[in-house]
Amino acid sequence: MSESPSKPRGVEPSSALDAVIVGAGFSGLYMLHRLRGLGLSARIYEAGSGVGGTWFWNRYPGARCDVESLEYSYSFSEELEREWQWTERYASQPEILRYLNHVAERFDLKRDIRFETRVTCAIFDETASRWTVQTDRGERVSAQFCIMATGCLSAAKIPDFKGRDTFQGKTYHTGHWPHEGVDFSGQRVGVIGTGSSAIQSVPNIARQASHVFVFQRTPNFSVPAHNGPLAPEVTRDWKMHRAEYRQRARTAAFGLLLDQNEKPALEAPPEERQSAYEERWRRGGFAMLGTFADIIVNKEANDTAAEFVRTKIRGIVRDPSVAEKLLPRDYPIATKRLCVDTGYYATFNRDNVTLIDARTTPIQEITPTGLRTSEAEYTLDSIVFATGFDAMTGALSNIDIRGRAGVALKQKWSEGPRTYLGLMITGFPNLFTITGPGSPSVLANMVMAIEQHVDWIADCLAYLRQHDVASIEATVDAENAWVAHVNEVANTTLFPLANSWYVGANIPGKPRVFMPYIGGLGVYRQKCDEIAANGYEGFALHSCAVAS
Ligand code: FAD
Ligand code: NAP
């Protein structure tokens, strides 16, 4: 039975656990399940009133996964996979949320989740080798391990526009969408941003609103989803071959069954290139990324893919001046997160949709009645902030995390995040970060990346128990070498060229560091496994001395 989310609990007597997990999305739920299996006592603290993480919060119209449902789901339980039926190629937010609730019920997870409880502070006690975790409800708990399952894209960000609080209409952030939904009928709606969230929501908002003004600072590359009902034969085939498909995804670079062509784009004659791109465009989704081997490492090769998509945009959007504004030109394709859409570009053919170039005519102010750019004033009933997240580090920075000698994580990361494998941080023993910066995380099908991290952490804790180890900590040398490696690999690609959230460019003042690991999930998994097999190379293990 889950705990009542609405009942204020006040200050509870302090209690001791083996592990505290922060967050009840895909990461936290599976982590709790694995720890239970090891016989450890664990509790999740979750700020939301239900499970689901991303899929609890992001309820904007059109929200759905862009990794195919069959792949964007847990693989750890064959029974779970056999009993759950996805209805669409890309599941909608409500369906994914139903799935995660089903998982939580099926594995009886909710009884160990404290909902509507935000972790505010986590402090390491060097003498006891334990973490003291505090919440906004005044709870205080001691745990040997603290596992951050706080999400890479969970700290929603609304830019500090002048006059933001003066607007008299309604405002929404896509990542904090009202549970009861929003009816935009008859309204003039401003949408700020053109990332994945806007690209999914704008076509839906435009079908309802009287007029939509889309404020675009940077045009994005988007490819068609070709979503639709999942054909029974596709599901049948998946269930028959699931073990093989899952194994392939786990060892693939992006954690996806991408059908990667190993040929470089520039070795293919122009007609062959064109038909290869056409074929991937017809397939839809991330298939485009696998068209040729060198798209993300060779600018000239990348240009061929980028120009293909630009030609498609010109072909879809009827007004050439609008099409021209929608063409992404100042960064290589896929170096900002590739978007997957259903009718995004065609939406600009509607009479009730206006695209505003917020690069040449920047937003200057939000006013009581709407929004003013350097060129015009727009009267609006509602404003949708599709302005993204303080990605990868935001949710961690929002918690006061203090390691050895009281050093704050924020202070340690003031020049950018530093981790060993994206799993642990020197100076912060017994603290794990699921999909932390320095791991493949957001550059992979995240469910595969999450399962790999959770399994590694669970196996690590089992090892520590077996060997009577009280604390584990990344060594300085291992962390330095890993950070250097993450940067080195990133610099062999085109990714650092883009002003993306991967490098923190969307948050004013955030240090410019390429945060995820682009070496590929398969390669990364192998490294993590080798490190564990070698007795946790690069980690300092201390046996029980003063521990509880
Ligand atoms: P989250 O789902 O973000 O969960 C983290 C949880 O931690 C949240 O519920 C949050 O409330 C809680 N939390 C954070 N801080 C605290 C605190 N201090 N105290 C208490 N609780 C806290 N990835 C893909 O691979 N494919 C996709 O198609 C895809 N689609 C996406 C669509 C959207 C709209 C977004 C925003 C992201 C998408 N992602 C996708 C990335 C997605 O975030 C991951 O796939 C996955 O859901 C992350 O799970 P998680 O459990 O690690 O984090
Ligand atoms: P995002 O990709 O960061 O996009 C934010 C948008 O807001 C950008 O267009 C950005 O412009 C704009 N913006 C930010 N600050 C602005 C300002 N001050 N003035 C004008 N414009 C501003 O955020 P998101 O769309 O929420 O997506 C975040 C990530 O979540 C995605 O990349 C993806 O990983 C995941 N996601 C996935 C899906 C899916 O399809 N399954 C859906 C949604 C989200 P600039 O580009 O110029 O900064």
Side-chain angles (χ1 to χ4, degrees):
M1 201 181 66
S2 70
E3 294 186 31
S4 159
S6 52
K7 193 174 84 205
R9 281 189 297 271
V11 183
E12 290 200 351
S14 57
S15 50
L17 293 165
D18 291 319
V20 158
I21 301 164
V22 190
F26 268 103
S27 297
L29 292 177
Y30 181 40
M31 192 75 247
L32 176 60
H33 176 63
R34 281 298 319 265
L35 295 187
R36 286 237 193 105
L38 294 174
L40 301 184
S41 60
R43 178 183 301 158
I44 295 182
Y45 288 105
E46 167 55 57
S49 61
V51 301
T54 287
W55 305 102
F56 173 88
W57 296 106
N58 292 262
R59 298 172 188 237
Y60 58 82
R64 55 179 71 250
C65 54
D66 57 4
V67 165
E68 298 189 29
S69 322
L70 291 166
E71 298 183 59
Y72 188 71
S73 50
Y74 289 121
S75 71
F76 69 84
S77 161
E78 185 174 347
E79 297 73 33
L80 169 66
E81 212 166 340
R82 290 207 180 283
E83 72 202 17
W84 185 263
Q85 300 290 335
W86 293 107
T87 63
E88 291 180 275
R89 180 176 176 188
Y90 300 94
S92 66
Q93 172 272 329
E95 189 170 14
I96 302 172
L97 188 57
R98 271 199 304 281
Y99 168 76
L100 287 169
N101 271 290
H102 168 75
V103 170
E105 302 288 345
R106 191 189 190 286
F107 296 101
D108 188 23
L109 300 175
K110 289 188 181 176
R111 69 183 153 89
D112 282 324
I113 307 177
R114 297 273 210 271
F115 291 111
E116 289 187 36
T117 309
R118 183 171 286 281
V119 168
T120 52
C121 175
I123 297 175
F124 186 65
D125 174 343
E126 291 188 55
T127 320
S129 282
R130 294 181 73 85
W131 285 89
T132 302
V133 173
Q134 274 174 243
T135 75
D136 61 355
R137 283 172 172 258
E139 251 182 278
R140 215 160 179 242
V141 68
S142 160
Q144 187 181 3
F145 302 102
C146 181
I147 303 172
M148 294 298 178
T150 44
C152 292
L153 295 158
S154 60
K157 185 74 193 164
I158 298 185
D160 223 354
F161 292 114
K162 186 176 164 206
R164 202 178 86 184
D165 298 331
T166 66
F167 183 58
Q168 286 168 359
K170 296 263 195 213
T171 58
Y172 308 94
H173 187 285
T174 49
H176 281 285
W177 206 259
H179 288 199
E180 63 279 14
V182 181
D183 183 1
F184 289 113
S185 302
Q187 293 195 18
R188 289 164 64 86
V189 182
V191 179
I192 304 178
T194 48
S196 299
S197 300
I199 279 176
Q200 286 189 327
S201 55
V202 164
N204 293 282
I205 297 173
R207 278 196 285 275
Q208 224 181 34
S210 68
H211 204 99
V212 180
F213 299 89
V214 180
F215 296 88
Q216 169 193 271
R217 187 165 66 180
T218 311
N220 247 311
F221 288 100
S222 188
V223 295
H226 300 316
N227 189 31
L230 253 186
E233 60 273 18
V234 173
T235 309
R236 241 192 334 270
D237 173 74
W238 180 269
K239 291 199 174 176
M240 202 162 356
H241 300 289
R242 66 163 291 283
E244 175 203 332
Y245 291 158
R246 290 300 201 173
Q247 191 47 29
R248 265 173 52 201
R250 287 188 193 113
T251 52
F254 296 108
L256 292 169
L257 301 178
L258 202 53
D259 186 13
Q260 177 67 52
N261 180 1
E262 296 306 332
K263 190 172 188 171
L266 301 177
E267 281 182 17
E271 316 74 57
E272 182 185 325
R273 256 196 328 251
Q274 181 67 15
S275 68
Y277 288 136
E278 283 289 358
E279 196 268 324
R280 298 285 176 144
W281 184 269
R282 274 196 302 276
R283 277 198 230 174
F286 289 128
M288 181 61 80
L289 289 176
T291 321
F292 292 107
D294 50 353
I295 290 177
I296 59 164
V297 291
N298 181 325
K299 177 67 169 61
E300 226 185 308
N302 188 286
D303 286 343
T304 64
E307 192 48 35
F308 173 83
V309 176
R310 284 192 287 262
T311 304
K312 286 290 182 194
I313 299 170
R314 289 189 195 98
I316 297 168
V317 180
R318 287 200 286 270
D319 181 335
S321 70
V322 176
E324 195 55 32
K325 280 194 221 167
L326 285 165
L327 301 182
R329 291 191 182 282
D330 57 0
Y331 61 94
I333 185 169
T335 57
K336 281 173 91 118
R337 174 68 151 61
L338 186 64
C339 302
V340 179
D341 72 279
T342 299
Y344 176 67
Y345 294 118
T347 295
F348 293 94
N349 292 332
R350 296 176 67 107
D351 293 338
N352 71 332
V353 177
T354 304
L355 179 68
I356 291 112
D357 184 340
R359 168 98 47 209
T360 54
T361 60
I363 297 169
Q364 291 197 323
E365 187 178 6
I366 292 181
T367 66
T369 53
L371 187 158
R372 185 170 26 244
T373 67
S374 59
E375 198 178 59
E377 181 145 5
Y378 298 86
T379 304
L380 303 170
D381 299 300
S382 295
I383 299 177
V384 173
F385 293 101
T387 45
F389 302 86
D390 183 352
M392 307 208 65
T393 54
L396 294 168
S397 307
N398 287 342
I399 305 172
D400 185 10
I401 303 173
R402 293 185 183 256
R404 279 191 197 287
V407 171
L409 183 64
K410 247 186 286 193
Q411 187 186 330
K412 162 148 183 167
W413 283 4
S414 60
E415 313 228 308
R418 302 182 66 76
T419 70
Y420 181 34
L421 299 170
L423 277 161
M424 294 201 85
I425 304 152
T426 309
F428 296 79
N430 292 2
L431 178 89
F432 294 88
T433 49
I434 302 178
T435 66
S439 74
S441 57
V442 293
L443 295 176
N445 164 5
M446 285 205 74
V447 184
M448 290 298 101
I450 287 166
E451 285 191 332
Q452 186 260 335
H453 263 193
V454 169
D455 286 336
W456 192 93
I457 294 168
D459 293 348
C460 174
L461 298 200
Y463 177 94
L464 301 184
R465 283 286 149 119
Q466 278 156 18
H467 293 81
D468 258 348
V469 174
S471 80
I472 177 167
E473 180 180 0
T475 66
V476 175
D477 287 349
E479 186 177 87
N480 287 344
W482 184 252
V483 171
H485 175 63
V486 169
N487 285 320
E488 188 188 359
V489 180
N491 289 333
T492 64
T493 74
L494 303 172
F495 274 86
L497 299 180
N499 289 324
S500 63
W501 57 254
Y502 297 135
V503 297
N506 63 328
I507 305 294
K510 194 165 171 173
R512 192 181 176 101
V513 171
F514 187 76
M515 293 182 283
Y517 177 57
I518 181 88
L521 182 64
V523 169
Y524 171 82
R525 175 189 299 275
Q526 215 176 339
K527 278 184 201 291
C528 290
D529 289 350
E530 281 166 15
I531 285 165
N534 292 336
Y536 292 90
E537 227 174 350
F539 292 96
L541 275 50
H542 297 291
S543 59
C544 301
V546 267
S548 63

